[in-house]
Amino acid sequence: MSLVSSTEMLRRARKEAYCIGAFNVHTMEMLQAVVEAAEEAQSPLILQTTVGTVKHLGPEYVAAIAKVAAKSVQVPIALHLDHCHDYELIERCIQAGYTSVMIDASMHPFSQNVEQTKRVVELAHRCGVNVEAELGKVGGVEDELVVAEEDAVLADPKECEEFAALTGVDTLAPAIGTAHGMYKGEPKIAFSRLEQIAERVGVPLVLHGGSGIPEEQVKRAVALGMAKMNVATELRIAFSDAIKQVFGENPQENDPRTYMKRAKQAVKAIAQAKMAMCGCVGKAAGQ
């Protein structure tokens, strides 16, 4: 299959009360691992790259690999740019073949967030590309984006409703107490806030900071309207730990095909577990 927009797959996910895993990948092996996991699970898939990864690899390289991967399987795959503040980079990614982009202007006042998001929506919708935006402030670290725990702000339900209406955004990531990175304790998700937002906002909602959230909390969030869950840190840790293990067993190892194979298997196992948790296994049928 060719890469597809995530819009329809996420609308269906919200309607049918399941969630699609969106996995941040930083190497070809990580991308291959989550694609293989999706094919075996017959799950729709969203591949994600951070701004840092895009700058490191180049959007054209990432899109080319994703396109090859999509054609090798029978499940729908979207390619998403995560947490971007730069209009020109968003435009370049769309031109390269990305089918979903996130404009993150959540650090600005509401009116400026609306203005910047509308501009990206106008660009992306001409190309059939999904647009995600954020309200409130999700804590933690994502590339150069650092939001201290005390600076995290929950999204306001009324503002979410107004924002969706003013911008025409396809998906919305409201801050509800999750954080980027691994949690020091159990996440404190504001489920009552999420429920209020879901009652007011009809577009699919996005759960950021999906690494380490207990399964029962994920399922509760999905039942309330979360249709996309981002997973990044757990994949990086599994990938890196697998490579460290190879060198721990054999410090003289110098064949990337050996340690990358182990790393790829580790990422694939995490992706498969998250897909089962999200309830998207077998949901590729009919898409």
Side-chain angles (χ1 to χ4, degrees):
M1 299 178 67
S2 300
L3 290 173
V4 299
S5 168
S6 59
T7 300
E8 290 305 318
M9 67 167 74
L10 290 172
R11 286 176 179 170
R12 177 180 167 186
R14 176 158 186 185
K15 181 180 179 181
E16 298 182 11
Y18 62 89
C19 184
I20 295 174
F23 300 95
N24 280 29
V25 296
H26 306 282
T27 70
M28 183 175 72
E29 289 81 7
M30 292 181 80
L31 186 151
Q32 290 173 322
V34 295
V35 169
E36 288 178 14
E39 177 74 350
E40 291 180 16
Q42 282 299 290
S43 167
L45 171 67
I46 299 174
L47 296 168
Q48 290 191 163
T49 53
T50 63
V51 170
T53 298
V54 168
K55 290 180 177 178
H56 177 65
L57 297 175
E60 294 79 13
Y61 276 95
V62 176
I65 296 169
K67 289 173 186 176
V68 170
K71 288 180 180 178
S72 71
V73 296
Q74 298 301 312
V75 297
I77 298 177
L79 178 61
H80 177 73
L81 171 66
D82 204 24
H83 282 290
C84 189
H85 321 302
D86 184 343
Y87 180 88
E88 284 70 30
L89 183 58
I90 288 173
E91 186 174 34
R92 183 180 169 192
C93 285
I94 290 174
Q95 291 172 346
Y98 276 66
T99 59
S100 178
V101 294
M102 180 184 184
I103 169 63
D104 183 0
S106 60
M107 70 292 299
H108 299 300
F110 181 81
S111 60
Q112 195 171 343
N113 192 350
V114 168
E115 180 183 350
Q116 291 192 23
T117 301
K118 282 179 67 176
R119 187 181 179 209
V120 171
V121 167
E122 290 170 2
L123 167 69
H125 282 187
R126 290 197 298 267
C127 306
V129 170
N130 177 283
V131 180
E132 178 182 327
E134 183 172 311
L135 275 180
K137 293 182 180 178
V138 177
V141 180
E142 179 97 5
D143 280 352
E144 298 89 4
L145 176 66
V146 180
V147 177
E149 185 176 346
E150 61 271 19
D151 294 328
V153 178
L154 296 181
D156 178 83
K158 187 175 180 180
E159 281 194 348
C160 288
E161 180 181 23
E162 185 179 359
F163 184 86
L166 289 172
T167 62
V169 73
D170 301 294
T171 48
L172 181 65
I176 57 166
T178 57
H180 298 123
M182 296 300 293
Y183 296 92
K184 297 176 183 177
E186 187 168 296
K188 297 179 176 62
I189 298 177
F191 288 107
S192 61
R193 183 69 60 96
L194 170 57
E195 187 172 10
Q196 293 171 43
I197 293 169
E199 288 174 353
R200 289 174 173 266
V201 178
V203 301
L205 302 177
V206 181
L207 185 65
H208 280 228
S211 291
I213 300 179
E215 183 171 358
E216 63 273 14
Q217 292 195 24
V218 170
K219 290 184 175 179
R220 186 176 175 187
V222 171
L224 290 173
M226 287 295 183
K228 173 177 180 263
M229 184 175 78
N230 292 3
V231 180
T233 306
E234 280 187 85
L235 299 184
R236 289 205 313 270
I237 291 173
F239 188 84
S240 301
D241 285 352
I243 294 174
K244 292 173 188 176
Q245 185 177 10
V246 170
F247 284 112
E249 296 168 357
N250 181 11
Q252 304 306 313
E253 179 60 66
N254 61 13
D255 189 341
R257 292 168 296 184
T258 298
Y259 53 81
M260 285 298 188
K261 181 179 180 180
R262 187 88 67 88
K264 181 179 170 183
Q265 291 169 339
V267 169
K268 184 176 177 180
I270 296 290
Q272 288 173 325
K274 294 298 181 184
M275 289 170 187
M277 186 183 298
C278 287
C280 57
V281 173
K283 298 297 185 180
Q287 296 203 32

